[in-house]
Amino acid sequence: MLKPCRIAVLVSGGGTNLQALIDARDLGELGGGELAAVIASRSDAYALQRAAGAGIPAHVLPRRDYPDSAAYTHALTELLRRLDIRLVVLAGFMHILTEEIVSAYPNAILNVHPALIPSFCGAGAYGLRVHERALAYGVKVTGATVHFVTEEPDGGPVVLQKAVEVLPGDTPELLQRRVMEQAEWKLLPRAVALFCQGRLHVEGRLVTIDDGGKEP
Ligand code: GAR
């Protein structure tokens, strides 16, 4: 029998994307994936309360306890190995990790980013800042991207994307909420389910989705 797809969700804040994964799990829509661990980079992350409410074992690995990104990544990778994790999901995880975790989990780390990559992404583009930049640039359409993580921040192969309209009078907060509701909370559970079902195939930068001949 196939081993279950044990998933670790890495978080730093509110955890609404974690909640979308929990909701999908409860509806049986996570492709057989098991939410095996939530790992938070801060002890005050509200996402920890969501994990407790959903019965998911939670771990706090404070970024501030480590001198640099390499030391933090090493500790994180060791923890993921100990927990026998197969898929790592960065869901509002606000730290850049080093190559060690990418080697340990090649094409097995998914990140959700609140813009249409390659726009408004890379080092320094996270959370509300992404939406501030999109509004300052004046784009009429933004969106969200789920991609595999490589050494280049936000530079890995794109799995799913969805466009979201920018509306007159938008503030960064309003736009963030619309992008979450219309794109992120749908794309992330779907990408996780596809991964767990073994339906994502990566060749270079290109991700193809095996639709089993069922979907249009
Ligand atoms: C989400 O919009 C996520 O896409 C973004 O932070 C927010 C976290 O919200 N992540 C990044 O910007 C990473 N580059 P959440 O904690 O409620 O899921």
Side-chain angles (χ1 to χ4, degrees):
M1 209 175 100
L2 262 181
K3 267 173 70 170
C5 181
R6 286 173 59 79
I7 303 163
V9 186
L10 276 50
V11 295
S12 300
T16 64
N17 279 288
L18 168 65
Q19 190 63 51
L21 293 171
I22 293 168
D23 294 346
R25 177 200 69 177
D26 293 348
L27 290 168
E29 291 175 356
L30 220 47
E34 178 194 348
L35 295 176
V38 168
I39 303 174
S41 62
R42 343 172 16 131
S43 57
D44 61 353
Y46 183 72
L48 288 167
Q49 299 193 33
R50 298 183 192 271
I56 306 169
H59 307 257
V60 181
L61 199 65
R63 173 63 181 85
R64 63 191 332 177
D65 287 0
Y66 295 84
D68 54 29
S69 186
Y72 187 67
T73 305
H74 183 66
L76 189 55
T77 308
E78 290 291 298
L79 175 59
L80 293 166
R81 281 212 182 96
R82 270 205 306 281
L83 295 170
D84 196 22
I85 295 301
R86 198 163 125 217
L87 171 65
V88 182
V89 179
L90 310 186
F93 187 72
M94 300 304 184
H95 311 281
I96 289 181
L97 300 170
T98 63
E99 182 275 335
E100 183 178 356
I101 195 169
V102 179
S103 304
Y105 287 90
N107 292 330
I109 308 173
L110 291 171
N111 178 48
V112 59
H113 182 76
L116 292 173
I117 289 175
S119 290
F120 312 116
C121 65
Y126 57 85
L128 215 48
R129 290 181 185 202
V130 177
H131 305 290
E132 285 165 3
R133 289 185 190 182
L135 288 175
Y137 198 92
V139 291
K140 304 297 183 199
V141 171
T142 183
T145 303
V146 176
H147 65 93
F148 281 116
V149 171
T150 60
E151 282 105 283
E152 191 191 338
D154 295 328
V158 170
V159 178
L160 296 173
Q161 289 189 300
K162 189 167 190 294
V164 174
E165 258 191 297
V166 179
L167 298 178
D170 265 350
T171 61
E173 290 79 7
L174 282 172
L175 186 56
Q176 179 182 52
R177 182 78 193 179
R178 190 177 315 112
V179 168
M180 284 176 159
E181 283 177 355
Q182 294 186 9
E184 293 185 55
W185 300 341
K186 296 180 179 170
L187 293 188
L188 188 60
R190 177 153 170 70
V192 167
L194 289 167
F195 180 94
C196 291
Q197 292 166 335
R199 291 165 64 191
L200 297 178
H201 304 285
V202 189
E203 260 189 78
R205 288 208 50 83
L206 194 67
V207 178
T208 49
I209 299 174
D210 176 2
D211 66 7
K214 288 187 203 105
E215 293 179 22

